């Protein structure tokens, strides 16, 4: 092998006191030790609030109850130069239902996964069957440690033969020995010295051994039974030392204080090996047969110990051919007879030890490392070239048809019900100006003929009626109205004002709407002029710019509506006259300049943004400056608009899907990018911004990005989840850490319609085909993303 092979292990890791942590460390050392051309790294799993001083090979950590960490780990792997991922799979290592959080990681990576299965269940509950079937699907190879596990995978789970590899649990390579020198080294007594070791828990069955000892020690009073190991941390956390205390009480009841010794500690590997080497007999009295592997038993076999065990699956296989003695579960008499037999028949005992030791030579870590490396190379060779186009092959060839059924369902004679409960309008949430303003944008974008205007007339009239009623005497707008038709605020936020102007600007500029309704829209905008001039917040300014742009670019001025306005002046309160185009233009330019100033104050070499934090409605800021450029031809607006839009691409485009900045904490400079709660409004606004960029610059990459950001709704997202309901036109409210938010509110469907209507201008639904992945987009964004790794992957 000429090229260096880079292997990433996922599991618990030393110094964590855990059997799989020790296994992962030993496996890593054996894999890298057997070939200097193999480089190994680790992603370590931690319990909540756990911290460790890990060795340098640990390059990433997952807090196992945080699903975001699994997604971030997948991102790290995909952007690394790792060749192979070796997963240590045990249900209890990972959070979720049967440990299913791990599939958030391995389902999203573009590297071959080799899974070492530490548990295989013969009669699984449904959630465990599903978990193992997923593991089979996402793994290139499945490594198990016994032939029993091989047969289970094939018989119970129908795993393909060519995916399964049998590699035994590794053991250190020690010479066959007598025990005396190790007893002296550890200052241990016992003739014989009987050992049970491992993290203490109720399933160990140690009480069966204790009950067998009185008759044995009556004949061999120098016998010592050493119980080595700390209490399992999960058991200790939940139940304290109840089991240890139970065993100690039993020792007292049986009068075994001189013969039973507890060493309550987690021992490191070298010390553990010394204890095993010092023992004469190893006892494994587990209570359950569903044990597919045991590191403790493996070590005892590999070091040539005389063994007495209950017949769990692994022990049955490993101790066949007279490599140990088997005793039924809880069979006190069986343990007594077996111990006496080994003590009283030293020659037979020695032959049994030699058979175990000889069998253990094939399980030495050196041999295990060679076998794993062989599997890695084979898997890498057979792993097809990764293709991003295959990841999202469920996407439709055509854009969906415009479907207004769900918007109509949410609309009554007052306005749009804000929220739903699983798709049923939730009346107690009432209405909002925010939704009405954006809905006017979506509907007017759909109007391309007089016929279409007539179809949408009722909805648009209802929404205009709401805005007229919501406007305050000062020209601002109430935002929230209860279902009882009572406004709940003195006035809405500045964003509310901006969103209202956004919708009204589209109404004013729509030539297919009646002059009456366009005049009303201009009147409401004129009344809002003083409030528009006082805006401070950037997104409110951006919405206002977008609304004014529609009116300005259409060349609409007040004189067009003067006759209608004057004839109904008595019905329009608090408006002396319609505001001229020049005044609106001045507001438009002032707000655009202030956004440029904000950018200049906050952008850095690796942070092309208006603020120190990327929050909500982000793409609307960039789009507003692109529109300002298109109207004024001031290249400053163009440069800032493109720089910030490209920045949003760089931090959210993953090469084949958009990973929207989540609402759980926002994304601050030098901070962690939140993955969830992802809102569909961001995908909708990105689509609109990219379409605007394409219309202004005619660069194909922006049209392609517009298609990809729109397909976020159709499944091109982190969870590969379709958010759009083709039958009703509803859109789910977001992507959360536990899956999709199945509520379907007004904002989601409106932003979907806004995005769809923007794209429809450039795609023919009857014949458009799926755009191929854009190398231009991928290559350009990849270079910038590399420079941002220090930001993105502190996630």
């Amino acid at each position: 092998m000429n090229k260096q092979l880079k292997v990433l292990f996922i599991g618990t890791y030393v110094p964590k006191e855990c059997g799989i942590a020790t296994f992962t460390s030993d496996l890593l050392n054996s894999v890298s030790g057997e070939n200097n051309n193999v480089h190994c790294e680790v992603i370590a799993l931690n319990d909540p609030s756990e911290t460790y001083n890990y060795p340098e090979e640990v390059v990433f950590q997952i807090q196992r109850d945080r699903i975001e960490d699994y997604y971030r780990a997948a991102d790290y792997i995909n952007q690394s130069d790792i060749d192979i991922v070796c997963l240590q799979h045990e249900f209890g290592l990972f959070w979720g239902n049967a440990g299913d959080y791990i599939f958030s990681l391995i389902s999203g990576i573009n590297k071959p996964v080799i899974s070492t299965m530490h548990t295989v269940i013969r009669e699984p509950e449904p959630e465990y069957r599903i978990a193992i079937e997923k593991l089979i699907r996402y793994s290139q190879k499945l490594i198990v440690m016994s032939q029993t596990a091989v047969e289970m995978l094939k018989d119970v789970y129908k795993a393909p033969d060519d995916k399964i590899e049998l590699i035994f649990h590794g053991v250190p390579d020690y010479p066959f020995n007598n025990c005396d020198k190790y007893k002296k080294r550890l200052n241990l007594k016992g003739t014989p010295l009987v050992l049970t070791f491992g993290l203490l828990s109720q399933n160990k069955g140690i009480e069966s051994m204790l009950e067998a000892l009185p008759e044995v020690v009556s004949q061999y009073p120098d016998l010592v039974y050493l119980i080595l190991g700390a209490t399992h941390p999960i058991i200790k956390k939940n139940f304290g030392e109840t089991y240890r205390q139970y065993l100690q009480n039993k020792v007292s009841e049986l009068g075994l204080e001189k013969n039973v010794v507890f060493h309550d500690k987690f021992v490191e590997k070298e010390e553990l090996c010394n204890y095993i080497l010092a023992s004469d007999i190893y006892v494994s009295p587990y209570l359950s047969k569903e044990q597919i592997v045991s590191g403790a038993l493996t070590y005892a076999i590999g070091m040539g110990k005389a063994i007495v065990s209950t017949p769990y699956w692994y022990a049955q296989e490993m101790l066949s051919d007279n490599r140990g003695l088997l005793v039924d579960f809880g069979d006190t008499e069986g343990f007594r007879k077996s111990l006496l037999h080994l003590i009283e028949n030293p020659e037979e005992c020695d032959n049994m030890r030699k058979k175990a030791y000889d069998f253990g030579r094939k399980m030495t870590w050196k041999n295990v490392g060679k076998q794993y490396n062989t599997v890695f190379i084979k898997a890498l060779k057979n792993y097809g070239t990764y293709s991003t186009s295959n990841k999202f092959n469920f996407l439709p060839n055509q854009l969906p048809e415009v479907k207004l059924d769900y918007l109509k369902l949410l609309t009554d004679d007052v306005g749009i019900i804000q929220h739903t409960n699983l798709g049923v309008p939730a009346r107690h949430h009432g209405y909002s100006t925010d939704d009405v303003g954006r809905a006017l944008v979506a509907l007017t974008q759909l109007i391309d003929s007089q016929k279409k205007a007539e179809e949408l007339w009722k909805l648009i009239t209802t929404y205009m009626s709401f805005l007229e009623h919501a406007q305050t005497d000062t020209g601002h707008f109430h935002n929230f109205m209860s279902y009882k038709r009572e406004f709940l605020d003195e006035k809405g936020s500045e964003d509310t004002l901006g969103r209202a102007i956004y919708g009204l600007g589209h109404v004013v500029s729509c030539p297919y709407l009646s002059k009456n309704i366009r005049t009303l829209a201009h009147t409401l905008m004129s009344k809002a002029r003083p409030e528009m001039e006082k805006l401070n917040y950037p997104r409110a300014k951006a919405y206002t710019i977008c609304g004014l742009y529609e009116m300005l670019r259409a060349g609409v001025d007040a004189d067009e509506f003067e006759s209608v306005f004057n004839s109904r002046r008595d019905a329009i309160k608090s408006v002396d006259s319609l505001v001229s185009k020049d005044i609106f233009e001045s507001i438009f330019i002032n707000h655009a300049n202030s956004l440029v100033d904000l950018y200049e104050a906050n952008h850095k070499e690796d942070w092309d943004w208006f603020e120190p934090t990327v929050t909500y409605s982000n793409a609307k800021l960039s789009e507003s400056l692109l529109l300002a450029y298109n109207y004024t031809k001031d290249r400053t607006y163009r440069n800032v608009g493109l720089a910030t839009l490209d920045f949003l691409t760089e931090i959210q485009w993953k090469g084949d899907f958009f990973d929207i900045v989540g609402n759980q904490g926002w994304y601050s400079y030098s901070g962690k990018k939140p993955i969830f709660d992802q809102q569909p409004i961001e995908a909708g606004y990105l689509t609109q911004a990219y379409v605007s960029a394409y219309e202004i610059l005619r660069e194909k990459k922006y049209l392609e990005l517009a298609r990809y950001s729109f397909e976020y709704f159709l499944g091109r997202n982190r969870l590969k989840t379709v958010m759009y309901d083709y039958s009703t036109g509803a859109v789910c409210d977001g992507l959360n850490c536990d899956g999709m938010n199945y509520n379907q509110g007004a904002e989601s469907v409106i932003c979907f319609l806004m995005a769809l209507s923007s794209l429809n201008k450039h795609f023919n639904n009857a014949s458009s085909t799926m755009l191929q992945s854009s190398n231009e987009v991928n290559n350009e964004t990849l270079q910038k993303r590399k420079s941002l790794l220090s930001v993105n992957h502190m996630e």
Side-chain angles (χ1 to χ4, degrees):
M1 183 172 56
N2 296 321
K3 178 182 177 294
Q4 186 181 54
L5 180 68
K6 295 190 175 182
V7 181
L8 178 75
F9 292 90
I10 301 176
T12 50
Y13 201 69
V14 294
K16 182 178 175 69
E17 296 178 352
C18 159
I20 292 181
T22 303
F23 179 91
T24 307
S25 175
D26 287 337
L27 178 57
L28 180 148
N29 290 326
S30 69
V31 165
S32 58
E34 283 309 304
N35 194 319
N36 293 330
N37 223 14
V38 177
H39 172 76
C40 297
E41 295 178 348
V42 178
I43 290 180
L45 289 150
N46 300 326
D47 283 315
S49 304
E50 226 176 30
T51 57
Y52 293 104
N53 184 20
Y54 283 116
E56 63 181 2
E57 59 265 26
V58 175
V59 295
F60 199 99
Q61 298 179 44
I62 292 173
Q63 184 173 307
R64 66 191 188 95
D65 65 333
R66 292 187 50 163
I67 196 167
E68 296 94 336
D69 286 4
Y70 294 84
Y71 286 114
R72 292 187 180 113
D75 290 342
Y76 174 85
I77 293 168
N78 286 336
Q79 297 194 37
S80 73
D81 57 356
I82 290 299
D83 297 306
I84 290 279
V85 173
C86 185
L87 171 71
Q88 304 309 303
H89 185 269
E90 162 61 53
F91 298 104
L93 287 187
F94 317 109
W95 218 256
N97 198 15
D100 65 359
Y101 273 24
I102 190 58
F103 301 114
S104 303
L105 193 165
I106 64 173
S107 68
I109 61 176
N110 54 14
K111 318 281 182 176
V113 176
I114 313 300
S115 295
T116 302
M117 300 184 68
H118 293 262
T119 298
V120 183
I121 305 172
R122 191 187 295 275
E123 298 177 357
E125 295 295 325
E127 62 268 29
Y128 288 94
R129 175 180 288 279
I130 290 169
I132 291 184
E133 288 173 348
K134 282 186 178 180
L135 188 68
I136 294 169
R137 184 162 69 253
Y138 292 126
S139 299
Q140 189 81 4
K141 290 285 186 181
L142 304 160
I143 295 177
V144 290
M145 303 181 212
S146 67
Q147 187 60 40
T148 305
V150 171
E151 299 307 320
M152 277 193 215
L153 282 178
K154 291 194 292 188
D155 296 343
V156 179
Y157 301 96
K158 310 305 178 186
D161 286 356
D162 59 357
K163 275 198 175 188
I164 305 171
E165 301 282 348
L166 171 59
I167 303 178
F168 290 117
H169 190 299
V171 296
D173 193 3
Y174 283 90
F176 191 75
N177 69 90
N178 61 44
C179 310
D180 291 341
K181 73 172 183 177
Y182 290 96
K183 288 181 183 177
K184 291 177 182 178
R185 182 180 297 178
L186 296 172
N187 194 28
L188 293 174
K189 298 179 180 179
T191 308
L193 177 63
V194 182
L195 175 68
T196 292
F197 74 87
L199 293 173
L200 206 60
S201 62
Q202 289 89 334
N203 72 332
K204 289 288 195 253
I206 292 171
E207 58 271 22
S208 302
M209 258 297 294
L210 294 178
E211 291 168 357
L213 285 181
E215 190 171 338
V216 179
V217 300
S218 68
Q219 299 180 53
Y220 300 96
D222 292 333
L223 179 148
V224 171
Y225 180 34
L226 174 60
I227 301 168
L228 173 64
T231 300
H232 195 290
I234 295 178
I235 299 296
K236 189 171 183 177
K237 179 180 178 181
N238 293 325
F239 304 103
E241 294 287 3
T242 305
Y243 182 60
R244 184 180 297 276
Q245 189 60 53
Y246 162 73
L247 295 177
Q248 290 171 338
N249 291 341
K250 185 169 283 292
V251 167
S252 298
E253 292 170 8
L254 296 171
L256 296 171
E257 292 91 339
K258 294 181 181 180
N259 301 95
V260 178
V261 177
F262 291 89
H263 280 197
D264 180 8
K265 62 179 180 177
F266 183 89
V267 292
E268 300 297 336
K269 183 176 68 174
E270 184 177 352
E271 185 181 7
L272 171 61
C273 291
N274 287 335
Y275 273 103
I276 299 171
L277 292 166
S279 65
D280 297 286
I281 301 171
Y282 172 72
V283 178
S284 181
Y286 286 144
L287 294 176
S288 172
K289 68 178 180 179
E290 287 84 9
Q291 182 87 13
I292 204 65
V293 67
S294 166
L297 181 63
T298 305
Y299 272 41
I301 292 170
M303 295 181 196
K305 299 291 104 179
I307 299 170
V308 180
S309 176
T310 50
Y312 52 91
W313 293 329
Y314 188 68
Q316 281 185 326
E317 184 175 330
M318 293 295 108
L319 300 182
S320 61
D321 297 332
N322 200 32
R323 291 190 288 270
L325 299 178
L326 294 176
V327 173
D328 281 343
F329 301 103
D331 184 0
T332 298
E333 181 64 13
F335 279 113
R336 182 189 69 79
K337 289 181 178 179
S338 296
L339 289 173
L340 288 173
H341 181 81
L342 292 174
I343 296 169
E344 294 169 355
N345 296 277
E347 186 174 339
E348 183 179 337
C349 179
D350 201 46
N351 287 334
M352 186 181 294
R353 289 183 58 208
K354 288 177 180 176
K355 283 189 174 185
Y357 182 81
D358 291 342
F359 183 76
R361 293 317 85 213
K362 67 179 71 175
M363 298 190 294
T364 62
W365 279 116
K366 181 177 181 179
N367 287 328
V368 167
K370 288 180 179 177
Q371 293 174 71
Y372 267 85
N373 279 331
T374 299
V375 171
F376 292 158
I377 295 167
K378 186 193 308 182
L380 192 59
K381 182 179 179 181
N382 294 334
Y383 187 70
T385 302
Y386 179 70
S387 170
T388 58
S389 63
N390 291 332
K391 291 188 69 177
F392 297 95
N393 58 9
F394 52 82
L395 292 165
N397 290 330
Q398 300 178 359
L399 295 179
E401 293 182 4
V402 174
K403 193 176 186 68
L404 297 177
D405 300 37
Y406 193 71
L407 182 63
K408 291 177 181 178
L409 175 71
L410 297 179
T411 302
D412 60 15
D413 62 336
V414 174
I416 308 170
I417 302 291
Q418 285 190 82
H419 300 297
T420 69
N421 186 2
L422 299 177
V424 177
R427 296 180 178 182
H428 61 280
H429 286 294
Y431 317 85
S432 82
T433 293
D434 290 341
D435 291 333
V436 168
R438 283 183 291 227
L440 285 172
V441 175
L443 294 181
T444 52
Q445 285 180 323
L446 294 173
I447 297 175
D448 56 5
S449 65
Q450 194 62 46
K451 180 180 179 182
K452 198 71 176 177
E454 292 169 2
E455 289 176 7
L456 300 177
W457 170 79
K458 182 176 180 180
L459 286 174
I460 290 174
T461 301
T462 299
Y463 301 159
M464 284 297 299
S465 175
F466 185 93
L467 288 186
E468 192 274 336
H469 183 49
Q471 192 166 38
T472 68
D473 289 340
T474 66
H476 210 300
F477 292 85
H478 297 287
N479 191 14
F480 299 114
M481 176 190 275
S482 72
Y483 192 68
K484 295 180 180 179
R485 304 189 183 190
E486 297 171 345
F487 286 112
L488 303 176
D489 50 20
E490 184 178 342
K491 65 177 181 180
S493 67
E494 287 193 2
D495 283 5
T496 296
L497 175 68
R499 291 176 186 125
I501 299 303
Y502 187 26
L504 291 170
H506 277 75
V507 172
V508 168
S509 64
C510 182
Y512 298 106
L513 294 176
S514 70
K515 195 167 187 178
N516 284 349
I517 204 164
R518 294 172 66 212
T519 301
L520 178 60
H522 200 294
T523 303
L524 300 183
M525 292 179 72
S526 296
K527 185 177 178 180
R529 177 189 61 81
E531 296 290 344
M532 277 192 260
E533 292 175 331
K534 296 188 296 185
L535 290 174
N536 291 301
Y537 289 96
R539 283 158 185 79
K541 294 178 180 180
Y543 283 119
T544 300
I545 291 169
C546 292
L548 292 177
Y549 170 78
E550 291 299 316
M551 183 174 65
L552 294 172
R553 76 177 179 92
V556 175
D557 205 347
D559 56 8
E560 183 177 339
F561 306 108
E562 285 291 348
S563 60
V564 177
F565 174 76
N566 289 329
S567 68
R568 298 301 297 152
R569 186 188 296 269
D570 59 325
I572 303 173
K573 301 175 182 178
S574 304
V575 184
D576 295 329
S577 62
L578 297 180
V579 175
S580 70
K581 175 183 174 183
D582 290 343
I583 294 175
F584 281 134
E585 185 177 275
S586 176
I587 297 171
F588 176 85
I589 292 173
N590 286 340
H591 287 338
N593 288 339
S594 71
L595 291 183
V596 171
D597 292 342
L598 192 65
Y599 171 80
E600 293 296 338
N602 287 286
H603 87 97
K604 298 176 177 62
E605 183 179 352
D606 56 352
W607 187 259
D608 282 326
W609 193 238
F610 299 94
E611 300 167 299
T613 303
V614 177
T615 57
Y616 65 95
S617 304
N618 300 304
K620 199 56 64 182
L621 293 167
S622 304
E623 184 188 11
S624 69
L625 286 185
L626 291 174
L627 298 179
Y629 161 72
N630 202 41
Y631 181 71
T632 66
K633 303 308 177 187
D634 185 331
R635 293 185 68 84
T636 301
Y637 302 148
R638 176 187 185 277
N639 294 342
V640 176
L642 286 180
T644 53
L645 182 58
D646 289 345
F647 175 70
L648 290 178
T649 307
E650 289 150 11
I651 65 172
Q652 298 180 112
W653 174 243
K654 294 298 183 181
D656 50 9
F657 72 98
F658 274 93
D659 202 20
I660 301 299
V661 170
N663 283 11
Q664 293 181 353
W666 310 122
Y667 182 24
S668 298
Y669 178 72
S670 296
K672 295 180 179 179
K673 174 185 166 186
I675 294 173
F676 300 108
D677 177 25
Q678 293 189 16
Q679 299 293 302
I681 184 175
E682 303 303 327
Y685 281 0
L686 271 173
T687 303
Q688 286 184 294
Y690 288 134
V691 169
S692 293
Y694 171 72
E695 290 175 343
I696 294 167
L697 303 171
R698 292 296 161 178
E699 292 185 19
K700 183 182 176 184
K701 70 173 183 178
Y702 290 114
L703 192 56
E704 292 175 337
L705 283 168
R707 178 67 183 253
Y708 297 143
S709 58
F710 176 75
E711 286 174 346
Y712 179 92
F713 296 101
L714 310 181
R716 191 185 285 275
N717 54 54
R718 172 176 284 278
L719 299 185
K720 302 176 189 171
T721 299
V722 178
M723 305 172 73
Y724 177 65
D725 187 333
Y726 286 84
S727 62
T728 66
V731 178
C732 289
D733 277 351
L735 300 182
N736 299 329
C737 61
D738 55 355
M740 187 163 63
N741 182 344
Y742 285 95
N743 287 322
Q744 299 166 324
E747 180 180 280
S748 301
V749 67
I750 290 167
C751 290
F752 173 87
L753 289 170
M754 292 166 72
L756 178 58
S757 59
S758 295
L759 267 183
N760 267 336
K761 292 181 287 184
H762 303 286
F763 290 90
N764 186 331
N765 278 344
S767 61
S768 66
T769 57
M770 182 67 110
L771 288 168
Q772 299 301 311
S773 296
S774 169
N775 290 333
E776 181 182 5
V777 172
N778 290 343
N779 293 337
E780 180 178 308
T781 58
L782 180 60
Q783 294 306 313
K784 188 67 179 288
R785 283 167 64 194
K786 285 181 177 177
S787 70
L788 291 174
L789 284 178
S790 60
V791 176
N792 291 346
H793 293 292
M794 291 172 66
E795 296 175 353

